[in-house]
Amino acid sequence: MIKRNIVIDLPCGLQAKKAAEFVEKASSFDCNVFILKNEKTIEAKSIIGVMSAAIRFGEEITLVTDGCDEQNAIKVLASFL
């Protein structure tokens, strides 16, 4: 399991279009991907989960990957955010 704190650098945060892109990227990996925000765990492969988290520009979240390609997943997803 890998955890990495990330400050969101997307100007509009993870709103509709960027959230969909993030979920598509997360879903392409053969590992579990979660977002931790305010003591809540969000399934990063769920558009409903990511949208409901209302992740905004400048917020800090923790990205967690666990599984076969967790190293690659954390690098790609962290650089996207």
Side-chain angles (χ1 to χ4, degrees):
M1 179 184 318
I2 301 173
K3 292 183 179 183
R4 183 178 294 173
N5 290 340
I6 299 169
V7 175
I8 303 302
D9 197 31
L10 299 169
C12 293
L14 274 178
Q15 293 183 4
K17 185 176 180 180
K18 291 296 182 182
E21 290 175 30
F22 179 81
V23 169
E24 185 176 344
K25 286 181 186 299
S27 297
S28 72
F29 295 103
D30 188 26
C31 64
N32 295 315
V33 183
F34 299 100
I35 296 169
L36 306 178
K37 180 186 174 198
N38 298 333
E39 300 181 21
K40 291 183 182 178
T41 302
I42 298 119
E43 169 60 56
K45 295 181 180 183
S46 164
I47 189 66
I48 300 299
V50 173
M51 290 292 299
S52 68
I55 300 168
R56 294 180 172 85
F57 173 78
E59 285 188 311
E60 184 173 327
I61 62 166
T62 302
L63 190 59
V64 179
T65 58
D66 184 30
C68 295
D69 55 355
E70 62 189 26
Q71 294 280 348
N72 192 34
I74 199 103
K75 287 178 191 174
V76 170
L77 296 172
S79 68
F80 177 80
L81 296 172

